Amino acid sequence: MIGAIADDFTGATDVAVALRRHGLRTVLYFGLPPDDLAPSKHGTDPSQSDTDTPEHGTDRPARGTDTSDYDAVVIALKTRTIPKADAVARSLAALDWLRTHVNPDQVFFKYCSTFDSTPDGNIGPVLDALADAMGVPVVAMTPSSPEHGRTQYNGYLFVGDVLLGESSMRHHPLTPMTDSYLPRVLEAQSEYRAGVVTLPQVRGQAIEARLSELRADGVRYALVDALDDSDLTTAGRALSGAPLVAGAAGLAAGLAKGRAEGRAEGRAGDSAEGPAVGQAESPAASRARADHGEAPVPAPGEPAAVLAGSCSARTLQQIAAMIEADRPAYRLDALADQDPGSLADSALAWYDTLGKDTEAPLIYSSLEPAALRHVQRQLGTDRSAAILEEAIGRVARGLVERGVTRIVSAGGETSGAVVSALGVPGGEIGAEAARGVPWIFTPSGLTLLLKSGNFGEPDLLLEATR
């Protein structure tokens, strides 16, 4: 059993679908589950009559039921940019829940493939706390995710063909990444030393030997080079017995692939397939998979809307594509109004003016780097972010009250605000709208697409709301 703790909600969906894609039956929770909540293979409430067949997405998690039907549990937290003491406390609470309820043989701490953090954290402080709590002397990790253009070489992180510190991530509003050498970045946040497992050591099957060397030298964190998926698979096999591992979804996929291979060898002829990622597999989702041979997708014609808060280059392109396609668009302007409630009310009043047959609209707060810096100078980085996140959460609630049943959210902090405002406990993972961006079918019947800022093609927001 893998127990994963993710530092934001879009990252959690990314790692959950990576695990599921490689054969691990996976359940996803948004936030720390209550003590009496445990995933069930069937996912229906014990009080529900056997004759009551829930519609698609309306099945509910069972309480106090067995988790042995699953291979992985993912807990999505919102700890990437909160005060580090709070991030540590919430991450330790998630670890305690996992140990109490599922007792995983491996814990995976999921952070962003661009190592989103500051000199204060929160990757280092959280890893220090998890490693101390588990008594782990050396922790291997890598943010490498080649399918998304993130690779690590000699400890340096690249985004596409440029160094992280020279990429658009240097302008990130909350976690500007200006240093590309990850051991130095991590050591600034941590009480411990960090080293590198080089590419020749990875490809020479010497990962375990290198980890032993680092441990003997008093180095706690080992950043593993990886340029392609085969490197991550090699790392996943070598780390299959490690109690604590960290990184992006690429390494999680490598770990899952190694486990699936081991299971296939032990159970020749058995299928590794199981329920789709989520709290359970609903009857409607089962029928959809049986009928179409694939993970479920949203029903056509659902009332939909896009909420965007990411200021990443790719999200800005996706917003531009929606506007160029003449989709109705409304921008939340924190300089004009610092009251989140008033901001949300104005956006919802605008939404109410749209015709019934209007294509899915866009409500966004995303800005180009220069405009973003201006807002942050005027209001402060933390205050401006807090205003807009609360406003977007209020907008999400208002949209659902008005009958919207499909919400596409762009940005990790934005997605966390949306999910928290709506009180979504978790969900069933469906088909991917883009690599690492799956549809999520919630217990209430709401369909969500939670997109990391830099994920997806330029037309993703358009295509996801057709």
Side-chain angles (χ1 to χ4, degrees), residues 315-328:
T315 294
L316 293 175
Q317 291 175 343
Q318 292 162 341
I319 288 171
M322 288 201 75
I323 293 172
E324 289 169 6
D326 293 325
R327 289 290 186 90

Side-chain angles (χ1 to χ4, degrees), residues 4-19 26-31 73-78 80 110-112 249 252 277 412 429 436 438 440 450 452:
I5 302 169
D7 70 353
D8 84 338
F9 286 10
T10 56
T13 62
D14 187 20
V15 73
V17 79
L19 294 169
T26 307
V27 62
L28 169 66
Y29 291 118
F30 291 118
V73 174
V74 179
I75 297 178
L77 301 179
K78 194 170 181 286
R80 183 171 295 173
K110 164 66 172 68
Y111 54 70
C112 188
V277 176
I429 298 296
I440 303 169
L450 308 179
S452 293

Side-chain angles (χ1 to χ4, degrees), residues 4 10 42 81 94 102 109 111 135 143 152 160 183 208 219 231 256 277 287 308 313 328 340 343-344 374 382 420:
T10 56
H42 301 293
T81 59
V102 300
F109 174 54
Y111 54 70
Q152 180 188 311
E208 292 164 290
V219 176
D231 297 328
V277 176
R287 290 194 296 271
L343 270 176
H374 176 66
D382 292 343
S420 297

